Structures are given as C-alpha cells and as structure tokens.
C-alpha cells in the first residue's frame, strides 16, 4: 500500500517527467503559448525569461546555446533531476526526507547568494535583449 507521501512523490515525478517529454518531443507546439507577463507589462525580460527554450536546447544536447539563452536553466534542471532521484530513493527506502528538507530554512547566506545569482541573470537577460 502506498503511503500519502509516496503517492505525492510519484505524482510529482510523473508530472516532471511528462513536462520533459513534452518539451523534448513537442517543442514547437509550445512556442505560441509561452509569454512572459513581466516582459509584456514592463518591456524587459524577467530573470527566468528563456528558461523553456534553454531547457529544450539542454534536452537536445546543445549546452552552450542553452547557457547563452539562460544559464539558470542548467541550475534549475540539475535541481529538478536531483529532486526526481531523491524522491525515487525516498519511495524505495520508505522514508520521507525530500519535502521535510525543502521545509527547512535555508539561512540568510544561501538566500543572499540566490538573490545575487537571480539579479546577475536578470541583468544578463536585459543586456542581451532577450
């Protein structure tokens, strides 16, 4: 019998893998649906603008082009992969460690570092006119 967290983890994993499947096999069908509200309202790209295109390039093995469009795609997709693996390990080991880890306070230093990375990526997106 599946525990509540196991079912939750398996649903999350299926959604994430389905998303990657759609990005890999149907990238052109998404082009007309992806519109950044920040860019639309303010006329400048947000820090995550280009992440979908960068992820598609990453899935196709075009790492340098992916980094050029949005370097955060490498980081976010690495975190997604680690998350999938971690949740699968939790399911197989009958332990719930992933979500409790996410609920922990990261600390001020980690938060400041993330803000600096996001700001740098935002400046990069603006500079290159994404």
């Amino acid at each position: 019998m599946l525990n509540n967290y196991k079912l939750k983890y398996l649903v999350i994993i299926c959604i994430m893998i389905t998303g990657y499947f759609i990005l890999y096999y149907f990238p052109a069908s998404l082009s007309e649906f992806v519109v950044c509200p920040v860019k639309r309202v303010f006329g400048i790209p947000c820090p995550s603008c280009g992440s979908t295109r960068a992820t598609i390039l990453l899935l196709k093995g075009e790492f340098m082009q992916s980094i050029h469009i949005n370097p955060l795609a490498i980081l976010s997709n690495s975190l997604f992969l680690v998350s999938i693996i971690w949740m699968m390990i939790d399911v197989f080991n009958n332990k719930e460690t992933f979500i409790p880890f996410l609920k922990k306070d990261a600390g001020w230093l980690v938060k400041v570092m993330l803000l600096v990375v996001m700001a740098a990526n935002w400046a990069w997106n603006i500079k290159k006119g994404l």
Side-chain angles (χ1 to χ4, degrees), residues 53-88:
R53 286 175 284 161
T55 298
I56 291 168
L57 289 168
L58 192 60
L59 290 171
K60 301 288 184 179
E62 299 177 24
F63 300 107
M64 294 310 291
Q65 293 89 338
S66 175
I67 290 170
H68 178 73
I69 289 179
N70 194 326
L72 287 181
I74 301 288
L75 177 62
S76 62
N77 286 293
S78 297
L79 292 174
F80 288 159
L81 180 61
V82 168
S83 298
I84 290 170
I85 293 168
W86 190 339
M87 286 186 282
M88 289 302 297

Side-chain angles (χ1 to χ4, degrees), residues 39-55:
K39 189 169 184 176
R40 186 172 257 193
V41 172
F42 299 108
I44 58 171
C46 73
S48 64
C49 267
S51 293
T52 303
R53 286 175 284 161
T55 298

Side-chain angles (χ1 to χ4, degrees), residues 9-23:
Y9 284 2
L10 291 173
V11 168
I12 292 169
I13 290 167
C14 287
I15 290 169
M16 293 172 79
I17 291 172
T18 300
Y20 280 116
F21 177 84
I22 291 169
L23 287 175

Side-chain angles (χ1 to χ4, degrees), residues 26-127:
F26 306 104
S29 64
L30 300 172
S31 62
E32 55 269 358
F33 297 111
V34 181
V35 178
C36 177
V38 174
K39 189 169 184 176
R40 186 172 257 193
V41 172
F42 299 108
I44 58 171
C46 73
S48 64
C49 267
S51 293
T52 303
R53 286 175 284 161
T55 298
I56 291 168
L57 289 168
L58 192 60
L59 290 171
K60 301 288 184 179
E62 299 177 24
F63 300 107
M64 294 310 291
Q65 293 89 338
S66 175
I67 290 170
H68 178 73
I69 289 179
N70 194 326
L72 287 181
I74 301 288
L75 177 62
S76 62
N77 286 293
S78 297
L79 292 174
F80 288 159
L81 180 61
V82 168
S83 298
I84 290 170
I85 293 168
W86 190 339
M87 286 186 282
M88 289 302 297
I89 290 170
D90 275 1
V91 168
F92 288 123
N93 288 334
N94 293 317
K95 293 182 181 178
E96 183 180 13
T97 63
F98 179 69
I99 290 179
F101 173 79
L102 293 178
K103 290 180 179 179
K104 290 182 183 178
D105 185 16
W108 69 270
L109 183 59
V110 172
K111 291 174 187 174
V112 168
M113 287 177 15
L114 287 173
L115 282 174
V116 168
V117 168
M118 292 294 287
N121 196 67
W122 196 1
W124 168 248
N125 281 350
I126 292 169
K127 183 179 189 281

